[in-house]
Structure formats: structure tokens, C-alpha cells
Amino acid sequence: MNVTHLECSLCKKSFEAGKAHNLCDCGGPLLVRYDLEKARLNWSRDQIAKGPNNMWRYGPMLPPRPESIVSLGEGMTPLIRTRRLGARVGASDLWIKDEGLNPTGSFKARGLSCAVSMLVEFGIRKVAIPSAGNAASAMAAYAAAAGIESHIFMPRDVPQANYIECKAFGSHVTLVDGLISDCAKIVDGGRATHGWFDVSTLKEPYRIEGKKTMGYELAEQLGWELPDAIFYPTGGGVGLIGMWKAFEEMEALGWIGSKRPKMIVVQAEGCQPVVRAFERNEARSQFWNGAHTVAAGLRVPKPLGDFLVLDAVRKSGGTAIAVSDAELIDAGIQLASDEGMFVAPEGAACVTALQKLLASGFLKPAERIVIYNTGSGLKYLEAYATRFPRQASGEQDKLGGLITPR
Ligand SMILES: Cc1ncc(COP(=O)(O)O)c(C=O)c1O
Ligand SMILES: [Zn+2]
């Protein structure tokens, strides 16, 4: 526990650690700051392997006290070198970080494990969250584990898996006719009347701390040498901001050098506010009207931390690119048959983006490239079922009418 304070990412105002916070008065998200000098002296990267085999092995760079931690085993997901896909697309050093193996099948487990641990530390017993889907599932799971009351708001057409998980975990679920932005307004508006704490990503400063462990793990798994490029499917972009923060922290700890990967934002054609802002050379994105994509986690029409995402992408020499739903589903099926990994449409989008950036020459075949598959394909059966429709059972499926009543 090396936290010193929290700092506004916009106006740099300082906030006391050890207290619950939402946004700064100026509207800026707060970032947790640590005494990196002290940590550098007291903790070395060689000690990490002695820690737990999950994201809490980086505990000294995470905010909760050890006794507050609510863990379901999140993190330390495999980093797998591709067997056939790399050769197919023309990338000889291609890796996939498979976040689909986390509790509740997505990387959102990391953020919510950390945030819920802090809720426990602060004695907060009632929370609300707006979600595109997977954050809701993770919120519901960790709230159940912590015995906290959770109120979940997500779009009515959210993948079935997210809805069923939340109900099974015992959350109060409201399906909203709208997008995550509409859900966020309801959560914000209900704070005073319902007395719940708002766990919206970046409006709450600890989810990003959990997500940043994706960056620590990548460095550790690659022997403390970051890759040349990282593909990240970007909705709110919080995972990308978190990894960028992790790289800065690790450099200050003396664990890695100054080399940074090209950070590549991947969005869906039907919702690409960050790509548009990147192409227009703007510091912030503008609300994307009529957002639609089967990659539900990418349906974020106006990311709160857009300026942090864009800044990291530009500083890293990266880029931002959008792909169509048809392309990303094709890529997901190709990846499954090439590698034996059934990935979320969000992760699959990165495969298409990679092909485009190799074709344009932005990336070279020998570069070390890591794709973040942020979730499991099993959570998106409706999306993949469009390619594998099943006919109603025929006569030949029936065992003489004995089992299936006629
Ligand atoms: C599977 C999946 N990938 C990516 C994202 C986008 O995450 P971020 O907010 O870090 O951009 C989400 C968010 O819901 C998601 O569920
Ligand atoms: Zn501020």
C-alpha cells in the first residue's frame, strides 16, 4: 500500500487518499498516485512471482489494504503466441492476451475486484453502475462476493449472458431503452434519492487501477520488455488508459525502460467517436449518434476519458481504426478455427484491424504485436449464432418419439 493521494487528470488538484471519491469539481476523472520512490526501494520485480497467481501479485501498486481485498481469482490470464493466425495475416510475432478467462468471462473482473475491495474498505454497502454489459456482470459477481447491494442499469438489448449473470448474482437489474450513456444519467440522477454510490468507470477512481494490471502482467509475461504494438478494443478506453499508467509506474519503479508500444485503438464502424477524434486531430471526442454494433462493449458513444486515450495513442505513435460488424464476426470465427480460442467480438475486431494495418504498411511483419481479447466468445452467442443458425429439430432428431413428445 503505497498510495499517497488522488490527482485530477484535468486540473491536477490533489485529493485525500483513504476516502471515497467520484469526479473532481472540474469534471475530471481522478487518478491514484503512489510513492513510487518508496516502492522502488522496498519492492523489486523479482519478488512478484512469490505473490498470488492473480492480479493481486501487484498489490503494492494497488489501492486496497490486503484485508479488504475481494478476489475471485482475476488476472494472470494467459499470453498465447498464435500458431496459425500470425502466418495467415503476415505477422511473425503475434500474441493474444486472453482476458476471456477471467471471472465472469471478461477483463472487467479486474476493475470491479479492485473497486469493490475499496467499497469494502470504505464501508459502502449500496452501489449503482451503468454498463454496456460485461462490467455489469463483474459488478454483480463481486457485489455478491462482498455482500453488497448492487443496482445495475444496462441497455435492453444487452447480450443475454450479461442479463442472466446479473440476475443470478442477485443484483437489482433495470434494462434501459437506450445506451450506456442513458444508463449513466439514471445512475447519476438517483444518487441523492436512492443513496447509492456511483461506480461508473472513471467516475470512480479504483476500477482503472484494477485494469492497469493488464499492463503489469504483459511486461512480466514478456520478460520486462514491452511489445512493439498493442491492439485494444476501445469502448470507454479505460483499459488502455490503465495500461499506459502502468507503463509509467513501471518505468518509475525501474522495471522497464522508456520504450512504449504503439497503442492502437480499435472501434466498431457503428460507434467510433475516438477514431473520428483521432483522425480530426481533436483532443476530445464528440457524442456518436445512433451507436450500434454487435460488439456490445464498444457501444460507448462518448467516453469520459477520451482525452486520456487520445493522448496515449498520440504519444505512443499509435493509431485508431474502425472495423465493420461483418468483418469482426468473420475474424472471430477465423481466429477460433486457427487457434482454438473463441473470443469476444471486441477482441475479434482487433484481428481485422491488424490485417488492415499490416496491409497499409503501418505495421511491419516482424514487429512484436499483442492483441487484447477482452472477453469470452461464450458471452456473445446471439452474435455468433447469426453465422450458425440451427433449424428446428427434424424428425431424424427424434428417438422414435420416445424422448421428444410428438
Ligand atoms: C469485452 C469488452 N471489450 C472491451 C470493452 C471496452 O472497454 P474499455 O472501457 O476499457 O474501452 C468492454 C466494455 O464493456 C467489453 O465488455
Ligand atoms: Zn479537476
Side-chain angles (χ1 to χ4, degrees):
M1 245 287 293
N2 293 296
V3 178
T4 52
H5 64 288
L6 286 80
E7 183 188 70
C8 174
S9 54
L10 277 177
C11 73
K12 309 293 168 203
K13 186 172 160 190
S14 181
F15 292 79
E16 199 183 324
K19 280 174 76 173
H21 292 288
N22 285 122
L23 292 173
C24 174
D25 319 322
C26 82
L30 305 186
L31 298 175
V32 182
R33 298 297 180 203
Y34 299 83
D35 186 341
L36 295 164
E37 202 43 47
K38 183 175 129 208
R40 185 185 176 117
L41 296 173
N42 297 331
W43 189 44
S44 83
R45 65 186 198 190
D46 306 323
Q47 285 167 264
I48 293 169
K50 296 194 195 103
N53 193 36
N54 57 50
M55 75 172 199
W56 295 102
R57 66 209 276 110
Y58 310 106
M61 270 310 120
L62 291 168
R65 287 195 289 263
E67 59 275 21
S68 315
I69 292 172
V70 182
S71 175
L72 294 169
E74 51 292 324
M76 278 318 266
T77 55
L79 176 67
I80 295 171
R81 187 164 188 173
T82 60
R83 293 168 172 85
R84 289 173 201 86
L85 184 73
R88 184 188 297 282
V89 301
S92 60
D93 199 1
L94 178 62
W95 302 70
I96 297 182
K97 178 91 171 132
D98 193 4
E99 292 293 306
L101 277 84
N102 276 302
T104 68
S106 89
F107 79 113
K108 298 280 177 180
R110 297 178 186 265
L112 271 311
S113 172
C114 188
V116 169
S117 300
M118 293 310 283
L119 296 171
V120 167
E121 193 153 314
F122 298 142
I124 294 171
R125 311 284 317 148
K126 188 175 175 182
V127 301
I129 191 171
S131 170
N134 284 318
S137 302
M139 173 80 253
Y142 288 92
I148 287 174
E149 181 181 319
S150 60
H151 296 261
I152 282 168
F153 297 83
M154 50 191 175
R156 185 170 299 284
D157 58 355
V158 77
Q160 176 82 328
N162 297 126
Y163 176 71
I164 292 174
E165 280 176 291
C166 293
K167 294 295 284 184
F169 288 130
S171 293
H172 302 265
V173 181
T174 306
L175 295 177
V176 176
D177 291 313
L179 294 168
I180 186 173
S181 40
D182 303 295
C183 300
K185 281 182 207 146
I186 299 175
V187 169
D188 190 43
R191 280 196 296 163
T193 35
H194 298 283
W196 56 45
F197 184 76
D198 185 348
V199 200
S200 300
T201 193
L202 288 182
K203 283 190 192 165
E204 181 285 338
Y206 301 110
R207 282 174 64 180
I208 183 174
E209 290 302 292
K211 289 182 173 186
K212 81 179 178 187
T213 58
M214 288 193 292
Y216 277 87
E217 266 175 42
L218 184 65
E220 184 184 352
Q221 289 172 322
L222 289 176
W224 308 104
E225 178 84 35
L226 296 178
D228 298 308
I230 287 179
F231 281 76
Y232 187 75
T234 302
V238 184
L240 189 149
I241 305 168
M243 282 194 267
W244 194 248
K245 182 173 188 281
F247 300 155
E248 270 172 26
E249 289 172 1
M250 283 190 284
E251 188 178 352
L253 289 167
W255 293 2
I256 61 167
S258 58
K259 175 188 160 179
R260 294 289 182 274
K262 293 185 267 285
M263 302 300 280
I264 298 168
V265 158
V266 181
Q267 297 204 295
E269 279 180 1
C271 182
Q272 42 168 318
V274 177
V275 174
R276 183 170 63 184
F278 180 78
E279 287 173 351
R280 291 182 181 171
N281 221 6
E282 287 166 355
R284 297 207 78 145
S285 67
Q286 275 157 30
F287 193 91
W288 187 273
N289 288 312
H292 63 92
T293 167
V294 294
L298 306 185
R299 266 193 325 177
V300 181
K302 172 71 176 103
L304 186 63
D306 50 7
F307 65 103
L308 296 169
V309 179
L310 287 158
D311 188 50
V313 171
R314 290 187 176 119
K315 282 197 178 121
S316 74
T319 189
I321 181 167
V323 307
S324 74
D325 276 12
E327 287 173 320
L328 64 87
I329 290 289
D330 282 346
I333 294 165
Q334 185 72 61
L335 172 59
S337 62
D338 274 350
E339 303 294 335
M341 295 166 72
F342 188 41
V343 305
E346 292 85 347
C350 295
V351 176
T352 306
L354 168 64
Q355 284 170 295
K356 290 180 192 255
L357 293 180
L358 285 166
S360 72
F362 183 85
L363 291 175
K364 303 281 172 288
E367 288 188 282
R368 174 163 284 181
I369 297 166
V370 175
I371 284 176
Y372 273 80
N373 169 44
T374 40
S376 167
L378 291 175
K379 301 197 73 172
Y380 294 85
L381 296 182
E382 300 98 322
Y384 282 109
T386 57
R387 295 301 168 87
F388 305 110
R390 279 198 294 183
Q391 266 119 42
S393 65
E395 289 300 307
Q396 67 275 20
D397 296 337
K398 296 177 182 170
L399 292 177
L402 288 175
I403 293 178
T404 311
R406 286 172 190 262

